[in-house]
Amino acid sequence: MKLEFGFGTGVQTVEVPEQNLMGVLMANDVPKERMNEEEVVHGLENPIGTPRLKEIVKPGEKIAIITSDITRPVPTYRIMPALLDELYAAGCKAEDITLVFALGSHRCHTPEEQKKLAGERAFNEITCVDSSREDCVHLGTTDAGTPVDITRVVAEADRRICLGNIEYHYFAGYSGGAKAIMPGVSTRDAIQSNHRMMVREEACAGNLDTNPLRQDIEQAAAMTGVDFIVNVVLDEHKQIVKCVAGDLVKAHREGCKFLDKMYLKEIDSRADIVIVSQGGAPKDLNLYQTQKALDNAKHAIKKGGTIILIGSCKEGLGEKVFEEWMLNAPTAESMIDRIGKDFQLGGHKAAAIAMVLQNAEIYLVSDLAPEFVEKIFLKPAASAQEALDAAFARIGKDATVLAMPYGGSTLPRAKA
């Protein structure tokens, strides 16, 4: 069977014998009443746990809308028109509204990137800025000891509205919700303090209620004050199929329930070979982001199996500390030892890759040079087909194969 996996703006094609293929993990068939802008309007008109946004905001108030950066697939440009209409209906003026791109620990945008993210209307009507890790306001400390240091334009606003998309997150449980605040518009020290809890067993994909890291994120957001969220769930083609709006926690939880209906995948057993992709650009710009698909794939691979990770990574590794850990470690195992003694944001993803390597070999199909891939403890392959052929040669012609074309979204749960 011929399968296609997103690779940057193109695809990687691979032929898998049907007798070996256990399945292709795609979205479950969930009825969708509306799509895209129509669904956003419906979400805004039917908020969860709060009044309509136009009943919350007041004329003259300074409003900060926090949205994701270019490494995330949030279709801000689809959300902003209806959101601006709602704010204008309340008497708010364009000059009082700022759209803040939450960088977390990521790089700044070019003006062209900001315009692409915001959409032409929002970019032309309101102020659009990147968050600043250097200009922050200290709002307190969470129970877990995380400093709540928030970029000034957000901290000093009268109202805060958080946008986001909801998908599985390998240690926050799910993306979206309060993550727009922490790590979105927080300092590096704050992010590092929060992410330190990723090593706890409860900090894993699909877990919210007992997840200490998620609880810390939501306490930080509560201390900052979030008046309203607009979160979306996307299908494999990055189209909005669900929009939840309203209360920071209640609306987010409803979105998570919908996500489970679409993307939680029960499998009978783990596979010998897992072929996984983030689904292409923008989610595979670098290895720092592509790693998320790898972390979901680990739930589907047998011990000693092969994971074929497909991602362009055309911008390289994507984060300075991550790069330092990956390139300077004497062995993959040493990164696991290091994270236990010296937690560093960025290093946590290096350690996460090393933990997968304890149980499986990893082929990386990317735009990176083969010698560079080998230096970071992965096996380079020029194509997904080349990697699959090598995996069959090692494991045997009867090896079972599982495909995850949208690995950052689909979460396998093996029965055995």
Side-chain angles (χ1 to χ4, degrees):
M1 177 180 290
K2 183 179 288 186
L3 302 176
E4 288 188 347
F5 296 82
F7 182 82
T9 55
V11 297
Q12 280 280 330
T13 303
V14 61
E15 191 79 35
V16 181
E18 290 199 22
Q19 66 270 21
N20 298 84
L21 188 62
M22 288 175 57
V24 180
L25 300 191
M26 304 287 277
N28 296 313
D29 187 17
V30 177
K32 305 169 186 70
E33 297 178 28
R34 291 160 296 273
M35 298 278 286
N36 296 322
E37 287 85 351
E38 185 184 357
E39 175 61 16
V40 173
V41 170
H42 182 266
L44 287 168
E45 290 177 348
N46 296 274
I48 299 164
T50 67
R52 284 275 298 262
L53 180 59
K54 65 182 182 181
E55 297 167 15
I56 295 174
V57 298
K58 302 290 188 293
E61 291 181 328
K62 297 295 182 184
I63 297 168
I65 302 169
I66 304 99
T67 193
S68 297
D69 73 351
I70 200 166
T71 67
R72 304 289 192 267
V74 182
T76 306
Y77 67 95
R78 290 192 186 276
I79 299 171
M80 287 304 298
L83 184 56
L84 288 175
D85 288 344
E86 185 84 0
L87 293 172
Y88 294 157
C92 299
K93 302 297 183 184
E95 57 264 30
D96 291 327
I97 305 169
T98 301
L99 179 62
V100 183
F101 300 103
L103 298 181
S105 60
H106 305 154
R107 67 168 176 82
C108 293
H109 297 107
T110 65
E112 292 75 20
E113 287 173 332
Q114 287 188 352
K115 185 175 183 179
K116 180 180 179 181
L117 289 169
E120 193 157 343
R121 177 183 167 188
F123 190 77
N124 291 332
E125 286 183 12
I126 63 175
T127 301
C128 297
V129 299
D130 284 344
S131 63
S132 170
R133 293 183 288 274
E134 284 70 46
D135 185 20
C136 291
V137 178
H138 181 67
L139 301 177
T141 305
T142 68
D143 293 342
T146 298
V148 184
D149 297 323
I150 304 300
T151 196
R152 186 174 299 277
V153 68
V154 173
E156 295 183 347
D158 297 306
R159 300 288 181 182
R160 282 160 288 274
I161 302 165
C162 292
L163 311 188
N165 75 299
I166 299 176
E167 60 186 3
Y168 294 111
H169 190 278
Y170 74 108
F171 57 76
Y174 298 77
S175 65
K179 281 185 96 272
I181 299 294
M182 173 77 73
V185 291
S186 301
T187 60
R188 191 175 186 89
D189 286 346
I191 299 167
Q192 185 163 308
S193 177
N194 171 262
H195 285 18
R196 187 183 307 274
M197 289 179 277
M198 69 166 282
V199 298
R200 300 193 191 178
E201 186 178 348
E202 298 87 356
C204 62
N207 185 35
L208 288 170
D209 295 339
T210 60
N211 189 324
L213 193 143
R214 167 58 68 169
Q215 291 167 356
D216 192 53
I217 287 171
E218 291 182 343
Q219 186 181 9
M223 292 170 67
T224 304
V226 175
D227 298 278
F228 202 81
I229 71 168
V230 184
N231 277 193
V232 297
V233 177
L234 307 179
D235 66 10
E236 305 96 315
H237 308 292
K238 301 181 178 65
Q239 304 298 302
I240 297 172
V241 293
K242 182 69 174 178
C243 177
V244 290
D247 182 76
L248 173 69
V249 176
K250 293 177 182 176
H252 180 252
R253 295 300 188 269
E254 285 302 310
C256 293
K257 289 178 185 176
F258 185 88
L259 185 81
D260 283 346
K261 291 178 184 177
M262 280 190 72
Y263 291 121
L264 187 63
K265 307 297 295 190
E266 299 281 354
I267 57 176
D268 291 330
S269 62
R270 293 173 180 249
D272 296 306
I273 302 168
V274 176
I275 313 173
V276 63
S277 163
Q278 271 281 59
K283 298 173 80 173
D284 69 348
L285 273 176
N286 53 56
L287 188 59
Y288 195 77
Q289 298 302 325
T290 302
Q291 179 270 343
K292 294 177 182 178
L294 175 66
D295 216 81
N296 280 350
K298 76 181 182 186
H299 298 289
I301 194 70
K302 285 182 182 176
K303 189 172 181 63
T306 296
I307 297 175
I308 299 169
L309 179 62
I310 301 169
S312 167
C313 304
K314 69 177 183 179
E315 291 191 359
L317 297 186
E319 203 274 341
K320 288 182 179 179
V321 176
F322 176 58
E323 183 172 336
E324 185 270 320
W325 279 52
M326 293 295 291
L327 292 177
N328 295 329
T331 65
E333 193 76 22
S334 70
M335 295 188 287
I336 301 173
D337 295 335
R338 184 177 177 184
I339 201 72
K341 300 169 186 172
D342 175 30
F343 184 93
Q344 291 185 40
L345 184 64
H348 71 294
K349 288 211 175 187
I353 290 173
M355 286 188 276
V356 179
L357 283 167
Q358 287 182 314
N359 295 309
E361 69 170 7
I362 303 170
Y363 274 90
L364 179 62
V365 181
S366 72
D367 287 324
L368 300 173
E371 58 272 18
F372 185 87
V373 174
E374 289 175 348
K375 188 169 175 57
I376 58 174
F377 313 107
L378 308 179
K379 294 179 179 294
S383 67
Q385 189 66 56
E386 177 185 300
L388 180 62
D389 292 344
F392 274 130
R394 183 179 75 87
I395 300 171
K397 61 181 178 61
D398 296 325
T400 54
V401 180
L402 189 69
M404 297 175 62
Y406 303 94
S409 301
T410 45
L411 180 64
R413 181 176 290 167
K415 297 175 184 176

